[in-house]
Amino acid sequence: MEKKLAVVALGGNALLRGYQIGTIKEQEKNAEDTLRNLMFLLKGGYDLIISHGNGPQVGNILMRNDAGEQVYNIAQMPLDVCVADSQGGIGYMLERVLRNLLNQYKIDREIVTLVTIVEVDIEDEAFKNPRKRVGKIYTKKEADKLTADKGWMFKEEIKEKLSGWRRVVPSPVPKRVLNSHVIESMARQGTIVIAVGGGGVPVYFDKHGNLQSAEAVIDKDSASSVLASKIGADEFYVLTDVPFVYLNYKKENQETKEFLNYSDTKKYLEQRMFGEGSMAPKIKSCLNFIEKGGSMAVITEATKLDNKNYGTKITKEYTK
Amino acid sequence: MEKKLAVVALGGNALLRGYQIGTIKEQEKNAEDTLRNLMFLLKGGYDLIISHGNGPQVGNILMRNDAGEQVYNIAQMPLDVCVADSQGGIGYMLERVLRNLLNQYKIDREIVTLVTIVEVDIEDEAFKNPRKRVGKIYTKKEADKLTADKGWMFKEEIKEKLSGWRRVVPSPVPKRVLNSHVIESMARQGTIVIAVGGGGVPVYFDKHGNLQSAEAVIDKDSASSVLASKIGADEFYVLTDVPFVYLNYKKENQETKEFLNYSDTKKYLEQRMFGEGSMAPKIKSCLNFIEKGGSMAVITEATKLDNKNYGTKITKEYTK
């Protein structure tokens, strides 16, 4: 029998917690706590692909670009290059931490980290209505100047301590993970592949068939789901900051769901019973995966993956 | 007959020229001009691995880190993460430009970009005597504070306009390119592999067998040569900013060398007839490659690779 193939998407929380300032030591410790959870998959003989978010990291890279121009007049890099930078830095850190865990658990597997490009559709509605907030908070005057100079779009951001204007970029639907064939081939040979970091670097094909960079970001769960379906993965894990999926989260009638089937989940989603900006997109990614033939999607807390008492298991039909 | 395998190392000049400020448009144009040169290898049916330098880019990333801390109090990333960031950004840019060239030349090949870790020896003499200058120029006072706070080492830098103190880091000899087996396997299947960016992210194994990051940088020609030898590449190309290797470069008795054999080259090297900080390390990398069984090493200008009238060809014995 062919070995099972799992795609595990690490959330931002798996690398950087909200209350932390983001030193490399903090990120390494979080990565280790999270990746240690994956050992049971490897011990179970799974082939494994790991993807990861990059929200806090690419936010920092964008702000360093801004600061670098201010202080040293260094040319800023566009968003696609910043996303690619973050794939390099985070991917390397994950690979090194994972290599040490494999050494500790005496598991003999190769690990490679791929810089991953993901195709989007330039006609995607998201390009007409950018919504994803990235980078620093600007004053109205600064924001107006950047709109004039670079065509950036802004939305007002109201926070406790700091309010102002924040750049918004499109978050289009991922169509295709480039190199999915290579990723699949390596993973099926037993190599652990770290890929699709930050949802991938977004590009589109122009009418001449040339790849152009898109000033956008892609949801990493969505891109990971596209990859998982394309390569026929068996299981899809979404690691986040809650141990279960809840209906009516944080409301009086909150209900924990440990098992969900496809049709009920779809119904709850349509009834908007999952958090719109947070849990709903994860649920959608899981449903897409099940719809295209995946056998199980799991949403759980980053450090609770190997504890079977936690985690919401989504399958086509109820298994329990 | 097995197809020939070439490793091409792109110099800093192939991506960013000294007189340019380093916008992404400039870097893309330079990358295109350089990569267009490689089409003849692909048309000739070669398997291909591309490595690249990262000097100007990682310098900018280090300065952005410094500026980001000054302006926004964002935690700085250590040198290894900055090198990995640069592998992501540069690798992505090269991959995208190369994909468009393949489209233009109607060549059907996959391209993958790997984040690459390279093992060094923590007992390497370089760690006792750091010499490679990186990042911004500091005042004496700033440098002293950084030495006290972070243990950084500095050397005085005297330039025309701006003088001061510059951080120096070790540049140890690369021992092993991690994942060389995977790189070889993909390349031998016809996939173009972009790897060993910036010479690789330097790490060492501690006494427990764990990978620790080294605050160092690795010479990219040297690391590329180690890879090329390990995987039995046939040809090794070093792309730089001069079309030939010269004896006594820029001196009265300068002599152009289009063909060199192993023993003469070794003799010239021992006689210090190549520029110590510039051409000599490239020559050493080529000699190591030939010594370990490579059939030809070529040093030439970034945009003249496909012009057989240029380039110094180093072989074991003279062929002409």
Side-chain angles (χ1 to χ4, degrees), chain B residues 10-17 20 23-39 50 52 57 89-99 101 194 239 302-303:
Chain B
L10 312 184
N13 199 52
L15 302 170
L16 198 51
R17 312 273 149 87
Q20 296 178 321
T23 66
I24 190 66
K25 287 290 160 218
E26 287 171 340
Q27 295 194 49
E28 281 177 5
K29 177 68 171 62
N30 297 337
E32 190 180 326
D33 291 345
T34 301
L35 292 171
R36 193 181 291 278
N37 267 277
L38 274 59
M39 293 302 117
I50 299 171
H52 60 85
Q57 292 85 356
I90 300 170
Y92 150 70
M93 186 191 65
L94 289 174
E95 179 174 330
R96 188 162 60 74
V97 169
L98 188 54
R99 281 177 181 272
L101 283 168
I194 298 170
L239 302 195
T303 55

Side-chain angles (χ1 to χ4, degrees), chain A residues 287-320:
Chain A
L287 286 180
N288 283 338
F289 175 71
I290 298 294
E291 200 174 295
K292 288 176 183 147
S295 66
M296 179 173 70
V298 178
I299 298 178
T300 189
E301 197 171 329
T303 55
K304 291 190 167 61
L305 181 63
D306 63 356
N307 187 332
K308 296 290 175 197
N309 296 322
Y310 292 96
T312 295
K313 294 88 179 171
I314 307 174
T315 46
K316 189 148 176 52
E317 306 296 342
Y318 285 111
T319 52
K320 195 168 178 176

Side-chain angles (χ1 to χ4, degrees), chain A residues 74-251:
Chain A
I74 303 170
Q76 291 201 43
M77 290 294 109
L79 186 54
D80 55 323
V81 174
C82 294
V83 170
D85 277 8
S86 79
Q87 287 188 346
I90 300 170
Y92 150 69
M93 186 190 67
L94 289 174
E95 179 175 331
R96 188 162 60 74
V97 169
L98 188 53
R99 280 177 182 271
N100 290 340
L101 283 168
L102 295 194
N103 176 47
Q104 196 180 319
Y105 285 80
K106 305 202 185 314
I107 297 170
D108 185 22
R109 296 279 280 266
E110 298 213 58
I111 311 171
V112 301
T113 303
L114 280 199
V115 178
T116 314
I117 299 177
V118 171
E119 185 192 350
V120 300
D121 185 349
I122 195 66
E123 301 296 329
D124 192 301
E125 282 297 311
F127 285 99
K128 291 171 197 127
N129 185 17
R131 287 176 169 207
K132 182 77 185 172
R133 290 158 195 261
V134 296
K136 67 168 281 201
I137 295 175
Y138 293 90
T139 64
K140 182 84 176 75
K141 196 179 156 190
E142 288 169 331
D144 287 345
K145 184 166 183 334
L146 285 163
T147 301
D149 290 353
K150 306 190 181 187
W152 288 4
M153 291 179 67
F154 288 87
K155 283 198 173 150
E156 196 165 8
E157 177 113 349
I158 295 159
K159 284 203 167 176
E160 275 177 44
K161 290 184 187 165
L162 190 63
S163 291
W165 293 77
R166 196 124 178 257
R167 185 178 175 197
V168 286
V169 297
S171 183
V173 174
K175 285 174 65 181
R176 187 167 68 99
V177 175
L178 273 65
N179 286 327
S180 61
H181 172 71
V182 176
I183 295 170
E184 179 183 5
S185 160
M186 286 198 292
R188 287 293 188 191
Q189 288 168 43
T191 297
I192 300 168
V193 184
I194 298 170
V196 206
V201 185
V203 296
Y204 65 95
F205 284 93
D206 67 17
K207 59 184 178 182
H208 305 292
N210 283 322
L211 275 182
Q212 304 291 349
S213 61
E215 285 280 289
V217 293
I218 303 173
D219 177 71
K220 68 112 183 33
D221 298 317
S222 184
S224 305
S225 167
V226 166
L227 174 69
S229 298
K230 175 72 181 176
I231 66 179
D234 302 279
E235 298 173 12
F236 177 47
Y237 294 86
V238 176
L239 302 195
T240 181
D241 51 1
V242 289
F244 290 105
V245 172
Y246 307 91
L247 301 184
N248 308 306
Y249 184 52
K250 286 190 173 170
K251 291 180 188 161

Side-chain angles (χ1 to χ4, degrees), chain B residues 194-245:
Chain B
I194 298 170
V196 205
V201 185
V203 297
Y204 65 95
F205 284 93
D206 67 16
K207 59 184 179 184
H208 306 292
N210 283 322
L211 274 182
Q212 304 290 348
S213 61
E215 285 281 289
V217 293
I218 302 172
D219 177 70
K220 69 114 182 32
D221 297 316
S222 182
S224 305
S225 166
V226 166
L227 174 69
S229 298
K230 174 75 182 176
I231 66 180
D234 302 279
E235 297 172 12
F236 176 47
Y237 294 86
V238 176
L239 302 195
T240 182
D241 51 1
V242 288
F244 291 106
V245 171

Side-chain angles (χ1 to χ4, degrees), chain B residues 260-291:
Chain B
L260 281 168
N261 77 351
Y262 180 84
S263 60
D264 282 354
T265 313
K266 199 168 169 101
K267 188 183 66 189
Y268 298 142
L269 185 69
E270 284 160 2
Q271 292 168 345
R272 297 177 172 266
M273 292 175 83
F274 305 116
E276 278 305 307
S278 52
M279 191 53 83
K282 295 183 202 307
I283 295 280
K284 270 182 216 164
S285 297
C286 291
L287 287 180
N288 283 337
F289 175 71
I290 298 295
E291 198 174 297

